[in-house]
Amino acid sequence: MKTVFRVLLALLAIAAGLYAYFVYAPKPVQPTLSASLQTEHIQVGALDRQYSYYIPKNLPANAPLLFVLHGSLQTSEDIRRFTGYEYERLADAHGFAVVYPQGFENNWNDCRKVADYAARKQNIDDKGFIRALIQRFAEQQHTDSARVFLTGYSSGGHLGFRFALEEPGLLAGIAPVAANLPTADNLDCKASGQPASVLVVNGSDDPINPYNGGVVTLFGLGNRGTVRSAAETAGYFAALSGYPANAATRQEPSPSVRFEQWRAAGKHEVGLYTVVGGGHLIPQAIYRAPRMLGKTVAGFNAPEAIWAFFARQQP
């Protein structure tokens, strides 16, 4: 009996150690901000949808509006933590409003045909949800409907792709993180063929969303179908904007980051940040994501780079 008990204790200790190393991630310290986060509800069709938002104390008139979308199985609070609360700090510094919508049963109705979660199966109107919030914030906070941006992590990034493909005129720019466009056989959206301003941010060693394309799975479970490579994803939108195949300029902002940019007067900007060795996460210095998602690479603040991209876009 004592031997069995010792074995159980040893197994528990091993399990606890594995959890601590691969799954546990300490909650980041929240920055000192000019205002507090608020939570509200809005009716979209037959559904009551929840969202949180941050409005800086001295928000200027006609300020930009930024949507930040969580990943699969996450909540709006999770994405605040995963971004290290950086978007609220940036909102104070640059004068824009931040909205964190909550997905239906913690998922989004994106473009992936193979995805089988409830938001896809029930064809939840997430585009209507975002449209309703754009109107509400324009009416209540006097935000500029011509300067609305969306960044999303993982499946949140895939919903961003849906807007860029089907309604590129609604948003002034999108920035998917840890997400690539679905391949043609996995695409369940009707592409308009119109250009959009798109910034893609992907880790080269992402264990879930393959940087070089392939099958998206949650560690071998929950097949979400195949996606294109990060380069093909950025190249698709660059071609829509009329850039020649080899028109990208290339920079290395740091030893661990490569940036390819398609930018010219009168055209939509397209960019690709490659985080060398990075995993399925949002690079920044405040929060270390669980190690099971891959490496958190130091020296690159993705929220800052994303907001700089959005700030360059003109309506």
Side-chain angles (χ1 to χ4, degrees):
M1 188 68 180
K2 289 182 178 179
T3 301
V4 173
F5 183 69
R6 287 171 182 167
V7 170
L8 288 175
L9 281 179
L11 290 174
L12 285 173
I14 291 171
L18 291 173
Y19 176 86
Y21 186 80
F22 287 106
V23 180
Y24 173 73
K27 186 175 181 179
V29 176
Q30 295 194 35
T32 300
L33 301 167
S34 69
S36 300
L37 190 78
Q38 306 294 320
T39 299
E40 295 286 350
H41 294 254
I42 189 169
Q43 195 75 17
V44 181
L47 289 179
D48 178 68
R49 304 298 300 267
Q50 181 180 310
Y51 63 97
S52 298
Y53 64 96
Y54 178 75
I55 304 294
K57 183 177 181 180
N58 297 311
L59 185 72
N62 297 314
L65 177 64
L66 174 64
F67 290 99
V68 181
L69 272 56
H70 62 75
S72 181
L73 304 179
Q74 287 189 325
T75 66
S76 54
E77 180 58 31
D78 289 333
I79 196 62
R80 293 181 68 220
R81 187 174 70 256
F82 261 57
T83 56
Y85 311 106
E86 280 289 271
Y87 286 112
E88 289 153 57
R89 182 187 66 80
L90 289 166
D92 271 353
H94 299 284
F96 60 89
V98 185
V99 183
Y100 302 97
Q102 178 60 48
F104 181 79
E105 297 187 9
N106 299 353
N107 274 302
W108 302 104
N109 184 9
D110 57 47
C111 289
R112 291 174 290 182
K113 186 181 298 184
V114 173
D116 61 356
Y117 35 80
R120 289 278 304 132
K121 284 186 173 180
Q122 298 181 35
N123 195 28
I124 298 300
D125 188 10
D126 283 325
K127 292 198 301 180
F129 183 22
I130 299 301
R131 282 195 298 268
L133 288 175
I134 292 172
Q135 181 177 351
R136 172 169 285 190
F137 278 84
E139 294 172 350
Q140 296 184 354
Q141 304 294 338
H142 309 293
T143 53
D144 186 352
S145 296
R147 290 191 295 162
V148 179
F149 306 99
L150 184 150
T151 183
Y153 166 62
S154 194
S155 65
H158 278 279
L159 183 59
F161 284 139
R162 178 159 215 156
F163 280 101
L165 291 171
E166 295 188 336
E167 293 189 54
L170 185 68
L171 302 173
I174 69 162
V177 181
N180 291 330
L181 272 176
T183 53
D185 61 309
N186 191 30
L187 184 66
D188 199 28
C189 289
K190 296 180 180 179
S192 70
Q194 299 301 308
S197 297
V198 177
L199 177 66
V200 179
V201 182
N202 280 338
S204 67
D205 291 358
D206 190 323
I208 295 174
N209 176 73
Y211 179 83
N212 291 315
V215 179
V216 176
T217 66
L218 302 175
F219 309 106
L221 303 172
N223 187 348
R224 303 287 167 85
T226 54
V227 293
R228 306 184 189 196
S229 70
E232 290 170 331
T233 298
Y236 172 85
F237 289 106
L240 286 182
S241 293
Y243 293 101
N246 297 319
T249 60
R250 291 171 173 81
Q251 308 167 31
E252 291 191 10
S254 76
S256 60
V257 177
R258 299 194 303 263
F259 181 47
E260 296 172 73
Q261 182 185 41
W262 293 260
R263 189 181 182 196
K267 294 184 178 183
H268 290 267
E269 181 181 349
V270 177
L272 168 62
Y273 276 105
T274 298
V275 184
V276 180
H280 192 75
L281 40 82
I282 304 164
Q284 36 69 45
I286 309 301
Y287 175 72
R288 179 191 61 75
R291 290 186 178 92
M292 66 186 297
L293 297 177
K295 184 179 179 181
T296 300
V297 175
F300 178 56
N301 189 318
E304 281 191 352
I306 288 168
W307 180 252
F309 172 83
F310 287 152
R312 292 195 296 267
Q313 310 312 310
Q314 298 299 319

